[in-house]
Amino acid sequence: MSTPCFIEYLKFLRKQFDNDKKIHLIIDSYSSHKAKKAVKAATELNIELTFIPDGYTDTFQPLDVSVFG
């Protein structure tokens, strides 16, 4: 996923909830997720990004643990 694509996803996600509600998004540490433009866009959209450390996605990613596990 490219950084512009991830930013579009953040905008889509923001539209799913009231603007005054903070969104907490747990994601992996992929480079496009951590790009300065993406982090800035998330902040402007009232989305808090929490990054799963490298090498721990399969252990900590919620879908992997509870749904796909």
Side-chain angles (χ1 to χ4, degrees):
M1 175 181 290
S2 67
T3 300
C5 182
F6 181 59
I7 292 170
E8 287 303 312
Y9 172 72
L10 293 174
K11 291 176 184 177
F12 166 80
L13 188 62
R14 175 77 274 163
K15 290 178 185 177
Q16 307 309 306
F17 300 93
D18 294 332
N19 286 333
D20 62 332
K21 302 283 185 181
K22 181 174 281 250
I23 297 172
H24 299 271
L25 185 61
I26 301 170
I27 53 176
D28 61 22
S29 296
Y30 189 66
S31 60
S32 65
H33 298 161
K34 295 182 94 173
K36 288 181 183 181
K37 287 182 181 182
V39 172
K40 181 180 178 190
T43 301
E44 291 170 355
L45 293 167
N46 198 22
I47 299 173
E48 182 175 327
L49 302 176
T50 301
F51 296 100
I52 297 171
D54 291 338
Y56 286 92
T57 301
D58 59 334
T59 304
F60 292 119
Q61 192 169 43
L63 287 176
D64 286 346
V65 172
S66 65
V67 177
F68 303 136

